[in-house]
Amino acid sequence: MLEGEQGPAVMKSMELLTALGDVFGAECLVEVDSVHISGVSYRNLGDAGTEWLEELASLRAIVSSGVRATLNPAGMDMVDWRRMGVNENFAVGQHRIINSFKTMGVETTCTCTPYLIGHTPSLGSQIAWAESNAVCYSNSVLGARTNRESGPTSLASAITGLTPLYGYRLDENRLPGTVIEVEAKLRCPMDYSAVGYHVGKILGTTIPYFKGLGKPDVDSMKTLGAACATSGGIALWHAEDVTPESSTAANYLDGLETLVIAEKDLNEVKNSFTVAHDEATYCLGCPHCSLNEIREIATSVKRDDLEGNLWVFTSRGVYAEAEQKGYINIIEKANGKVFRDTCMVVAPLKDMGWKGVVTNSFKGAHYSLAHGFPTKILPLDKLLREAQR
Ligand code: F3S
């Protein structure tokens, strides 16, 4: 592959992966059968990134046989982008990017929650996933093994079917480093998001072992992982009697420092996002909404009753199910908007005229503030009540 026998695209990909392996002292490459690729929005890639992908596609880069490769969100709803307020020039660039991935054989799922649409690698399998919430979910909840891949390295793994063996792929690097005792009462997914945000800030990249998380549902686990991967760089967490590797991890807790999370800690992180804007957009779906979350939203809103600007983001896979069940119709009739393929961070919000954000996601709030928007955080029920005022 390195000598170019399988063509220039494979050669370039192998050069990248072997260089990465050298940097991290990997002894060998291992096979992957599952890849999730980030770096999709025209907002982040610009013309240079778009041309790079087109060049790769023209070199006949193709997803290796036996590998399933899915794609992260794009900068717009690929069908309904005009209604988002995205301009024509952006749309042209975004379509070029998606076409390049399509040519390469990548499933253009455009979601950061591939695990909600049936891309669920098995326990112990070696995978190459990018996008920090997806990495955290696959490592922790599914027990698959990935490092925090980037767009180029995940694409290189898709093309070669290989990845260097180092980091979270090895047993010894999957052990906990700190015990987290959660004493605070966790009432809703946003509380789990607050726990994740608080812990990530303190631990950085150390692997936490949670006690007292209760029985979190899928939505709580996805938002917890998204938050701790954002405020820190956490790629893997264990939780007693919750995650698949927790019983093995429990054998290595002796001598670890314990951090207690009390109610006041959660209130403190919640109070870091309280700046409201009169014309803020109420924003749900970071990470992309599950069917359950869309059902919950549809159940709480009534015809014509949304005065605030409510935007919901999800994958096209979940959207199709929600549409079939009538949830999309209910939300749209209440004056809410449901979009696929994109999100509140990778879309060109400033150009679209956004002024502020209210969300239930600490990851979303973190980036919204970083992009200069006045940002407020509220749990789902309160957020919907406020949007209905
Ligand atoms: Fe997903 Fe966008 Fe949030 S990619 S995790 S919805 S920032």
Side-chain angles (χ1 to χ4, degrees):
M1 285 176 164
L2 259 182
E3 284 162 9
E5 280 176 20
Q6 295 183 28
V10 170
M11 188 174 81
K12 276 175 186 251
S13 302
M14 270 308 260
E15 281 169 357
L16 175 61
L17 294 175
T18 50
L20 188 70
D22 284 344
V23 168
F24 287 98
E27 285 183 10
C28 61
L29 295 152
V30 285
E31 289 184 0
V32 293
D33 58 9
S34 163
V35 172
H36 184 68
I37 301 164
S38 68
V40 184
S41 174
Y42 180 68
R43 177 174 170 270
N44 303 329
L45 287 175
D47 288 331
T50 307
E51 280 157 22
W52 174 74
L53 283 171
E54 285 177 337
E55 191 200 328
L56 211 53
S58 74
L59 294 174
R60 300 228 171 85
I62 193 92
V63 172
S64 182
S65 71
V67 174
R68 178 166 191 196
T70 50
L71 204 60
N72 224 33
M76 62 185 205
D77 186 312
M78 296 305 296
V79 178
D80 208 5
W81 53 271
R82 279 194 182 83
R83 195 165 63 116
M84 286 180 69
V86 168
N87 72 46
E88 201 86 26
N89 182 45
F90 188 97
V92 169
Q94 191 61 70
H95 275 112
R96 283 171 59 194
I97 291 166
I98 297 299
N99 285 341
S100 295
F101 281 118
K102 214 180 267 176
T103 307
M104 290 189 251
V106 177
E107 289 177 48
T108 52
T109 48
C110 297
T111 181
C112 56
T113 54
Y115 47 87
L116 294 181
I117 54 162
H119 191 175
T120 49
S122 56
L123 180 67
S125 60
Q126 294 287 355
I127 64 174
W129 280 28
E131 210 299 304
S132 61
N133 105 78
V135 166
C136 225
Y137 195 95
S138 60
N139 265 331
S140 316
V141 182
L142 303 177
R145 296 182 171 212
T146 184
N147 288 315
R148 281 169 64 115
E149 301 294 345
S150 64
T153 63
S154 54
L155 183 54
S157 287
I159 292 166
T160 59
L162 296 167
T163 189
L165 184 66
Y166 71 95
Y168 295 101
R169 306 186 177 287
L170 301 168
D171 289 344
E172 62 268 31
N173 297 328
R174 297 181 67 85
L175 302 177
T178 302
V179 177
I180 308 288
E181 285 265 9
V182 182
E183 286 182 354
K185 198 158 184 259
L186 305 179
R187 299 170 185 87
C188 62
M190 196 199 78
D191 284 344
Y192 284 87
S193 190
V195 167
Y197 199 70
H198 180 65
V199 167
K201 261 188 180 172
I202 297 171
L203 294 195
T205 56
T206 303
I207 300 172
Y209 182 95
F210 289 104
K211 293 183 174 180
L213 266 195
K215 295 268 171 257
D217 60 9
V218 164
D219 297 325
S220 301
M221 292 191 284
K222 85 174 154 76
T223 194
L224 181 150
C228 67
T230 299
S231 58
I234 290 174
L236 165 65
W237 52 273
H238 303 291
E240 193 170 48
D241 300 329
V242 175
T243 52
E245 291 171 70
S246 63
S247 52
T248 308
N251 297 324
Y252 296 88
L253 302 182
D254 282 354
L256 296 187
E257 189 194 348
T258 297
L259 186 76
V260 175
I261 300 192
E263 208 76 39
K264 70 167 179 41
D265 299 310
L266 298 194
N267 290 335
E268 220 167 85
V269 281
K270 288 176 193 172
N271 287 338
S272 46
F273 299 103
T274 53
V275 189
H277 189 285
D278 284 351
E279 294 173 55
T281 303
Y282 293 86
C283 206
L284 298 167
C286 175
H288 272 171
C289 279
S290 66
L291 185 62
N292 192 40
E293 287 171 311
I294 294 192
R295 183 188 51 73
E296 227 177 308
I297 299 163
T299 312
S300 342
V301 297
K302 293 178 201 70
R303 196 183 175 93
D304 285 336
D305 78 351
L306 287 167
E307 283 180 28
N309 205 8
L310 176 75
W311 286 42
V312 179
F313 295 103
T314 189
S315 63
R316 58 180 81 171
V318 167
Y319 185 100
E321 281 182 80
E323 191 171 38
Q324 205 217 340
K325 291 188 183 300
Y327 303 152
I328 304 291
N329 203 17
I330 294 172
I331 298 169
E332 295 273 351
K333 279 200 164 137
N335 299 327
K337 297 188 180 88
V338 188
F339 291 110
R340 296 146 286 191
D341 305 329
T342 187
C343 82
M344 61 179 284
V345 172
V346 296
L349 305 184
K350 284 230 161 97
D351 299 344
M352 288 155 51
W354 281 34
K355 299 202 168 66
V357 168
V358 183
T359 182
N360 64 343
S361 157
F362 275 86
K363 176 172 181 176
H366 177 97
Y367 283 110
S368 162
L369 201 62
H371 292 160
F373 291 114
T375 303
K376 190 167 95 169
I377 197 140
L378 286 176
L380 180 65
D381 54 346
K382 282 196 182 146
L383 181 149
L384 288 172
R385 267 205 301 280
E386 198 175 292
Q388 285 165 40
R389 263 186 301 134

